[in-house]
Amino acid sequence: MARSDSGFSPEVAAALSLADRGIRMRMGDHHALFDYWRFAMSTICAVDAFYVGFYREGRRIVYPYTYDDAVPVERYVPPEVFGYGPKGQAAWILEHERPYVYASDNGLLLHHGVSFGDEQRPSADAITIPIFAVRDGGREVIGLASIQSYKSRTYTAEHVRAFEWTARSVATVLAREREDELNREELAVAGQGQETERASVVEVVQDVSEILAGLHARICAVEEAVPIGEPELARLVRELRHECERGQTETMDIIARPSIRAENLLNSLSAKEREIALLIARGGLSNKEIAARIFVTESTIKGHVSRILRKLGVEQRSGIAAKLERFLD
């Protein structure tokens, strides 16, 4: 079969051109972005299952989008957070920074991970690729994505390269979103509306509450439109509205109730460590700035910071604010 200048077959090259355009059009809506990415790959090869995950501190991965066409609509696979071990597929991708293919070990690494979707039907072929971000002149693995099939020998080397190609388009969208976010921060008035590196629990809860409020309004509209002669349908919609209302209450309760774990973390620090940790969390002060403020040497602050990171179970200073945000007021 003839190939284009890109090295792809003409059919795949045409599909990738459309995919790139569609991916870039979905900036700002990550569910639509990942859903379209799955669809775009399905125009090139079979995609029975698909997921996207992003690495986080503490050997965790956030999976914002998971799809399995064998799972009925009523058993939708929700977003989840999982830990990963040192010998699984996630760790392998992070270490080797290249795609993993099922044929390389007959799926041994793939099946070592956490199952999702229809767990009674193991995948018989798969491609898992790293998602990169360009930072400080180099590239860094920030996540991974996987396409899987219930039929063996589904994917070819061209499919691997096509999946990597679309991943670069997705990474471009994510980088542009991040750039826009940083630009908005620069325009913020000092001390007013500036965003931290990571959204606070309160901000996240407020965002989720707005989504649930919109969902509640649409459920209410459906409830009003149910015909009088459909009592069973009316009951189901009413129960759905009650579940949404319960979700709204429980979501807001996250910031209403005290966090015992957070209090225990704070109490694990000595008085001096607590003072330094809160200074870092509030203003992101450097070791030199903290040393000048509390009248100790910079090397002393470095020792304290190392112990704080260890006690709070985080690897970077930005994690201190995330752990202690409830106490910043």
Side-chain angles (χ1 to χ4, degrees), residues 235-251:
R235 182 186 65 81
L236 290 174
V237 176
R238 185 169 58 252
E239 290 180 355
L240 179 61
R241 174 172 56 80
H242 289 160
E243 282 297 302
C244 184
E245 291 167 355
R246 183 173 68 86
Q248 288 175 293
T249 299
E250 292 186 356
T251 299

Side-chain angles (χ1 to χ4, degrees), residues 13-35:
L16 290 176
S17 179
L18 291 174
D20 180 62
R21 201 172 317 146
I23 286 170
R24 292 172 187 267
M25 289 174 58
R26 286 158 175 81
M27 184 178 299
D29 184 343
H30 285 185
H31 182 272
L33 172 66
F34 301 142
D35 198 52

Side-chain angles (χ1 to χ4, degrees), residues 148-192:
Q148 301 180 19
S149 172
Y150 290 123
K151 294 182 180 180
S152 61
R153 300 180 181 179
T154 297
Y155 302 122
T156 66
E158 183 176 44
H159 295 147
V160 176
R161 291 188 294 110
F163 198 16
E164 289 184 288
W165 196 95
T166 57
R168 289 195 290 271
S169 293
V170 171
T172 298
V173 168
L174 298 178
R176 179 59 187 274
E177 290 178 350
R178 179 59 177 163
E179 182 181 331
D180 290 346
E181 181 182 345
L182 292 173
N183 288 337
R184 286 192 296 269
E185 287 187 19
E186 290 181 2
L187 293 176
V189 178
Q192 298 180 14

Side-chain angles (χ1 to χ4, degrees), residues 2 23 25 58 64 75-76 78 90 92 116 126-127 132 134 148 163 193 204 207 221 237 278 292 319 325:
I23 286 170
M25 289 174 58
R75 290 177 55 203
Y76 157 74
W92 190 93
F116 69 94
I127 304 169
F132 293 100
V134 177
Q148 301 180 19
F163 198 16
V204 172
D207 288 344
V237 176
L278 291 174
E325 60 189 349

